[in-house]
Amino acid sequence: MVNQLNINWPEFLEKYWQKQPVVLKNAFPNFVDPITPDELAGLAMEPEVDSRLVSQTDGKWSASHGPFEHFDDLGETGWSLLAQAVNHWHMPSAELVRPFRVLPEWRLDDLMISYSVPGGGVGPHIDNYDVFIIQGMGRRRWRVGDAIPMRQFCPHPALLHVDPFEPIIDVEMSPGDILYIPPGFPHDGFTYEDTLNYSVGFRGPNGRDLISSFADYALENDLGGAHYSDPDLTVREHAGRVEAHELERLRSMMVEIVSQPEDFKQWFGRFASTPRHELDIAPAEPPYSEEEVQDALMGGEMLTRLSGLRVLNIDGNFFINSESWKTADAKAADALCRFTELGQSELGDALQNPAFIAELTALMNQGYWFFEE
Ligand code: SIN
Ligand code: CO
């Protein structure tokens, strides 16, 4: 691995995670950029890749979404090109996310990469996710303000900015430095040089998304069909009022649906294993045979997981890419959740189990795992 991350994780989590922004100087010693600005521009021309170009001249902002056909009209100053989920599309860049697997995978969003020329940036803003901004090529000045209520406004329909803020961090970042920012802290990056930044983002779901996704699950699975009932009803003086005990009974009906532990796990596994950005899925061509898979693994070949694929174990229930997976070997399935690269020693006895080999072969043929060439 080219880039090694040095963070004292227990200390970082205790002092900073979700609490305070912090600069981690030289967290990637001797940092090597995994991508060039030209390669990033190439990705921003692909329809599958979510990209943006943000520019500013004399305080007038504009923004457009990719895919871009060319970059001919750009000057030498005042713009920034950003691509989301580069870890799904560019394997050397995906390596940058790997050392963050000390944090739960279901919290990971993606790796966003930005390339900015002098005067370029997205402007002062607030994010609703935790972000580790890694400084790559060039130096960039980052300012972070305190998480206090601030006015937000759109200087362009595709941009959400905040009013100017007093910095609590004002730093010039050099390659290999990391700026960690929890949700809600305003920040702004400014550069005098051509610069690359890599943002590893962790987004927590909000209650609205959880309720809406659970409601979809309830509909698909016919949950909560029982109707409100009130055999203890008494004569009302005021027919136009909903009484507190009735409200409470309604609330209990709803809470009861969410409280079924099995349904809750089945729903959350599907929800949390759903990728938030498109994956680069290609079914195996030609397909693997079961014998081939078994022989290769017994012979020491290593399996690689499709980058960005979410594979989760919730209390012995397994989920891959929005689907529940009933497996023939829970121990091996757990290893598939735990490691992104694995082989014989992690999969163990399951390699002798024809039912598990059949499942794994099917998953490989879907493009979820493959043998590194
Ligand atoms: C950038 O890389 O310019 C933006 C990163 C961020 O503000 O989260
Ligand atoms: Co930001």
Side-chain angles (χ1 to χ4, degrees), residues 80 82 112 114 122 125 127 129 131 133 140 142 187 197 199:
S80 192
L82 307 98
M112 190 276 283
S114 70
V122 297
H125 66 279
D127 294 316
Y129 48 85
V131 64
I133 303 179
R140 195 168 190 199
W142 280 96
H187 53 280
N197 278 108
S199 296

Side-chain angles (χ1 to χ4, degrees), residues 355-370:
F356 178 77
I357 292 292
E359 289 170 5
L360 181 59
T361 306
L363 291 167
M364 292 180 74
N365 287 335
Q366 276 179 271
Y368 288 169
W369 276 271
F370 48 87

